[in-house]
Amino acid sequence: MKSLKAEEAKVITHEKDVEAANALIENGNYQQALEQCKELWQDISSNIIMKPLRKKIKLLCCISSLEEKLGNYQSSISWLDIAEKLLPTFNEMAQLEKFNLYIRKASTLIELRRYSDSDNLLQKAQEISSKIGSISIENVEFLETQGELLLRKGHYEEALQRLQQAREIVVNFDNGLLLTSVETRIARALTAKGRYSEALELFRSILKWRVENLRDGHPDIGDIYYRLGILYGLVGKYDEAIKNSALSLEITKKAFGEAHPKVADIYLAQGDNYRLMQNFQLALELTNKSLEIRIKIYGITNPILSMNYNNLGVIYLNQGMNELALYNFQKSLNLKIEHYGANHPDIALSYNNIGLIYSKEGNLDKALQNYHQALRIHQISRDEDHPYIMSSYTDISWIYILQKKLNDALKYCKKPLRSKKNLADKSRKVLGVAYYYHGYVFELSDNVEGAQRSFQKSKIMTAQMNLPDSHQFVKALSHLSKTSEMKSAKNQYLDCKFI
């Protein structure tokens, strides 16, 4: 009897420890929660506490999830391997647990950019689900993970569909954290599709809920500041971008320390924003800090490094260091093709950047070849009025202008002008370029009136971005009405188009 009471006391203590660990997780205290969960597992694996198989698996999945949040991806997978070995082969309950394990492991593999392995696990999870069915909340995690994979692979429309399906399920539960998690991915998909105003509205709504319902300094609040920083940079609001990135960095470093994947992400985003503000020294410093952290976490062959090499190339290009720029662009492109295949949307950006270098160096045939490659890939995964596609049209148009193929130039610079959507600043800038090229073609064709009309539209479109007078883009446009300074204006305009 005494032994039984002692065992009951251990179980009660254990359940209280589980509740305490769950509270730590909800508060974003992931390191403390991980330490507590590992102690609980030590008791269970040593048979100090006897628990049903399902609770053992659930605890191991929780440890794995915490390891992933803390950036310990290989450890996350190792804990799931332990869980999988515990499962009996022929058992319906075991199949349901295996379904959850596959989803959890797929999520971690996505962070390691092992997309094929993740895809295979999600297919296995889907096979199990079709045989035994699964409850709604588990379907949410499946759809969310599937949506994340599609998002990373550049299939933005499919990703959006999966994530919206997940949202339709989760709104029936009183779980704000899960809902905002799904909505964050939806906002990212909207951003990738160029629907910036919708994404911004959704991110602000998510931030409002998290600030009102989570503790100060919760990592999930820091994540939304990071997302907002990126989005504000895309629409040209650089002060807002820097402000939100700084808030994100402060929260994230306090929660995870310096050597964490999210810190590297923030440094990279900050570097790009400072590049856009033409502070190239600071941009270079932050981009390299991000690269150092990522190499320590992922190694030197992980495709995530391609983002750093691409951004380094852009920084060097903006400073006229074409050889260093081309070296980094090519390094980025090789990593992407090796891991993602030939048609991933990120590869289009590399072709575009390489094309710009050849354009600046006067190698027009190679420039045109790379620009057409970029356009072809963009058109696979993006809407026709996405800023990147519109920008590709203007890039191709400019090469045709330089080749004196005015009909072809006019054909391509007209395409962005047909956009009917509400324009973000990124799109306005592209249209500013398109109207400028349109005017330049008219000028070369001796249509002075048409040229001046298009130049004026270019100035109006760009003025809507509310850039300061000191901005290089605005300085270039200020010369467009002065025919004597047209050549100077053209050179300034083209040099800053990439910015």
Side-chain angles (χ1 to χ4, degrees):
M1 180 67 72
K2 185 177 180 181
S3 175
L4 182 60
K5 285 184 176 180
E7 181 63 29
E8 287 175 349
K10 289 177 184 176
V11 170
I12 292 170
T13 301
H14 175 87
E15 293 298 337
K16 287 182 178 178
D17 288 343
V18 170
E19 290 176 8
N22 286 332
L24 288 169
I25 293 169
E26 288 181 9
N27 282 323
N29 298 318
Y30 301 135
Q31 185 61 51
Q32 288 176 263
L34 178 63
E35 292 167 4
Q36 194 152 340
C37 286
K38 282 183 175 180
E39 288 179 12
L40 293 171
W41 174 248
Q42 188 64 39
D43 289 345
I44 291 172
S45 59
S46 304
N47 293 319
I48 295 174
I49 299 290
M50 301 300 294
K51 301 294 288 183
L53 176 62
R54 187 169 188 180
K55 290 196 174 182
K56 289 181 180 180
I57 300 299
K58 187 175 181 180
L59 178 59
L60 288 167
C61 285
C62 181
I63 293 173
S64 168
S65 177
L66 288 166
E67 293 278 24
E68 181 185 320
K69 287 180 182 296
L70 291 165
N72 305 323
Y73 300 129
Q74 295 297 342
S75 294
S76 175
I77 291 172
S78 296
W79 285 102
L80 294 174
D81 289 340
I82 294 171
E84 195 168 1
K85 289 175 183 176
L86 293 176
L87 292 173
T89 306
F90 302 106
N91 181 290
E92 186 171 299
M93 180 60 71
Q95 291 302 301
L96 184 57
E97 297 307 325
K98 191 171 284 190
F99 171 82
N100 291 325
L101 280 176
Y102 285 151
I103 296 171
R104 174 95 292 287
K105 199 168 188 177
S107 174
T108 305
L109 290 171
I110 288 171
E111 295 304 321
L112 288 167
R113 270 60 181 176
R114 289 170 55 182
Y115 298 148
S116 295
D117 292 336
S118 179
D119 202 12
N120 289 336
L121 286 172
L122 288 174
Q123 287 178 24
K124 290 180 179 180
Q126 196 161 26
E127 289 171 9
I128 294 173
S129 178
S130 64
K131 291 177 183 177
I132 66 172
S134 58
I135 61 173
S136 294
I137 202 70
E138 289 165 323
N139 274 332
V140 169
E141 189 173 0
F142 173 75
L143 289 166
E144 192 176 12
T145 307
Q146 195 177 46
E148 179 67 27
L149 179 60
L150 288 165
L151 191 56
R152 299 289 185 96
K153 291 171 73 174
H155 304 308
Y156 303 131
E157 186 59 39
E158 292 177 71
L160 194 55
Q161 290 172 6
R162 298 295 191 283
L163 294 167
Q164 286 170 338
Q165 288 173 12
R167 189 184 185 284
E168 288 173 7
I169 297 170
V170 81
V171 291
N172 296 313
F173 296 87
D174 185 20
N175 191 330
L177 270 177
L178 183 57
L179 178 60
T180 56
S181 172
V182 174
E183 288 182 336
T184 297
R185 287 184 165 93
I186 290 174
R188 286 171 52 214
L190 291 170
T191 301
K193 287 175 66 63
R195 293 161 61 178
Y196 299 145
S197 59
E198 294 172 67
L200 188 58
E201 183 180 352
L202 187 52
F203 276 136
R204 284 171 174 165
S205 171
I206 295 165
L207 179 62
K208 183 176 184 293
W209 185 91
R210 289 185 175 178
V211 168
E212 289 175 354
N213 292 276
L214 303 179
R215 68 170 176 83
D216 289 345
H218 193 290
D220 287 353
I221 296 175
D223 181 65
I224 296 302
Y225 282 130
Y226 161 67
R227 306 288 175 193
L228 283 168
I230 292 175
L231 190 51
Y232 280 125
L234 286 171
V235 300
K237 296 183 178 179
Y238 306 131
D239 289 341
E240 284 294 320
I242 296 298
K243 172 186 168 185
N244 279 273
S245 292
L247 288 169
S248 175
L249 185 63
E250 180 184 353
I251 292 171
T252 306
K253 286 178 73 171
K254 188 173 182 180
F256 300 122
E258 175 82 9
H260 189 276
K262 287 187 179 294
V263 174
D265 295 345
I266 297 166
Y267 281 144
L268 186 68
Q270 286 183 324
D272 201 42
N273 283 324
Y274 279 113
R275 174 190 67 81
L276 290 164
M277 297 174 73
Q278 301 177 60
N279 188 336
F280 300 127
Q281 183 176 348
L282 187 52
L284 194 63
E285 178 186 328
L286 289 163
T287 306
N288 277 319
K289 282 178 77 171
S290 168
L291 180 62
E292 289 170 11
I293 295 171
R294 284 180 165 178
I295 288 174
K296 288 177 183 177
I297 294 170
Y298 301 103
I300 60 172
T301 60
N302 193 289
I304 196 173
L305 303 184
S306 66
M307 300 163 67
N308 294 74
Y309 295 131
N310 177 77
N311 286 18
L312 286 171
V314 175
I315 294 167
Y316 288 128
L317 181 60
N318 285 166
Q319 297 178 91
M321 303 178 185
N322 291 356
E323 286 187 19
L324 275 173
L326 185 58
Y327 170 78
N328 279 280
F329 287 150
Q330 199 63 55
K331 202 169 181 180
S332 175
L333 178 62
N334 292 343
L335 270 176
K336 290 173 185 176
I337 291 176
E338 180 183 351
H339 291 275
Y340 298 152
N343 293 321
H344 191 280
D346 285 356
I347 292 172
L349 299 178
S350 291
Y351 281 126
N352 180 80
N353 295 343
I354 292 169
L356 184 59
I357 290 179
Y358 285 128
S359 173
K360 283 177 172 287
E361 294 182 342
N363 192 335
L364 302 184
D365 289 338
K366 278 195 173 182
L368 193 61
Q369 179 184 347
N370 279 276
Y371 284 151
H372 273 297
Q373 275 279 63
L375 176 61
R376 180 189 65 79
I377 296 169
H378 280 316
Q379 288 176 323
I380 293 173
S381 58
R382 304 186 193 276
D383 297 335
E384 183 64 17
D385 54 5
H386 191 285
Y388 289 158
I389 290 181
M390 294 163 66
S391 185
S392 286
Y393 287 142
T394 62
D395 292 333
I396 292 170
S397 174
W398 177 243
I399 299 302
Y400 282 132
I401 288 173
L402 294 177
Q403 293 179 332
K404 301 294 190 289
K405 297 178 180 177
L406 300 187
N407 288 336
D408 289 329
L410 199 58
K411 171 186 170 184
Y412 277 93
C413 71
K414 277 183 175 180
K415 288 179 181 287
L417 307 182
R418 297 169 185 158
S419 177
K420 299 293 192 296
K421 68 189 292 187
N422 293 325
L423 297 172
D425 283 349
K426 186 86 170 180
S427 300
R428 290 193 181 98
K429 187 171 182 178
V430 174
L431 288 182
V433 174
Y435 275 122
Y436 176 78
Y437 290 172
H438 201 245
Y440 195 59
V441 171
F442 280 141
E443 185 190 65
L444 292 173
S445 305
D446 296 323
N447 185 341
V448 177
E449 185 179 342
Q452 290 300 322
R453 187 167 55 246
S454 291
F455 290 148
Q456 187 61 31
K457 287 181 180 178
S458 177
K459 291 178 72 174
I460 291 170
M461 186 60 65
T462 312
Q464 293 174 5
M465 294 169 61
N466 296 317
L467 295 172
D469 292 340
S470 59
H471 196 284
Q472 201 172 347
F473 206 65
V474 176
K475 285 181 178 179
L477 284 169
S478 69
H479 295 291
L480 289 180
S481 61
K482 304 174 186 177
T483 306
S484 62
E485 298 183 29
M486 189 64 70
K487 185 175 180 181
S488 171
K490 174 176 68 67
N491 290 336
Q492 288 185 57
Y493 199 81
L494 294 174
D495 285 342
C496 69
K497 181 176 78 67
F498 194 74
I499 300 169

